[in-house]
Amino acid sequence: MSGVKARHRAVVVAAVLAALVPAVTATAQAERASCGERDFCLFAGPHQTGKILFQRTVTVDDGEEGTVHLVNEEEINPRIRPRSARLPGLPEGLSCIAVLSEETYFQGDYQEADYGYPLDQDAVTELSGRPVGSIDSDCG
């Protein structure tokens, strides 16, 4: 009799999990979708999932000079612990590294995330979850 109950419980658990997976996936997609195509976003979870901990729009002026206003934050307070990033594409010839420093004012250990050309392709990066207290973009 207990074997029948165990199988019944396993079937019920499997059904509940199957019902939850689409809901979790839809939630992750909705959160990810709220990071716009020109946005620099840091996420709480891996693979660009979970809460967006940091979000800034990278402005690309289409004028003669093609000016790009990158993300440079001297102080993120309280510090955040992102597990992944989605960074926008940039105009041709421009490639950057986002330097995520553990302390404010670009101090302490850091981790990096590359992004750049082509304009219509996002860069996605998995991060360590270490604290981030400031962000600088180094481009070349």
Side-chain angles (χ1 to χ4, degrees):
M1 187 76 136
S2 66
V4 171
K5 286 184 181 180
R7 278 190 295 246
H8 178 68
R9 269 188 245 143
V11 169
V12 169
V13 168
V16 168
L17 289 175
L20 288 177
V21 169
V24 170
T25 303
T27 301
Q29 288 173 346
E31 287 176 347
R32 185 185 198 166
S34 64
C35 182
E37 70 178 34
R38 302 283 351 123
D39 289 348
F40 178 118
C41 296
L42 300 176
F43 295 86
H47 310 295
Q48 298 74 50
T49 61
K51 182 179 176 183
I52 295 174
L53 301 174
F54 180 87
Q55 182 174 15
R56 294 291 184 278
T57 300
V58 174
T59 306
V60 178
D61 295 334
D62 292 331
E64 200 172 294
E65 294 178 24
T67 306
V68 179
H69 302 279
L70 299 168
V71 175
N72 293 291
E73 294 287 329
E74 292 181 342
E75 185 175 8
I76 299 173
N77 194 7
R79 292 186 297 168
I80 57 175
R81 294 180 172 269
R83 296 293 314 274
S84 60
R86 186 182 115 358
L87 310 169
L90 298 172
E92 185 173 355
L94 187 60
S95 62
C96 299
I97 297 172
V99 181
L100 311 172
S101 300
E102 286 188 3
E103 303 296 330
T104 58
Y105 301 99
F106 320 112
Q107 301 296 309
D109 286 338
Y110 61 90
Q111 47 190 326
E112 296 178 343
D114 298 333
Y115 65 113
Y117 181 77
L119 187 63
D120 61 350
Q121 184 173 336
D122 299 333
V124 293
T125 301
E126 297 303 304
L127 301 169
S128 67
R130 290 184 358 215
V132 173
S134 57
I135 301 171
D136 192 18
S137 293
D138 184 20
C139 302

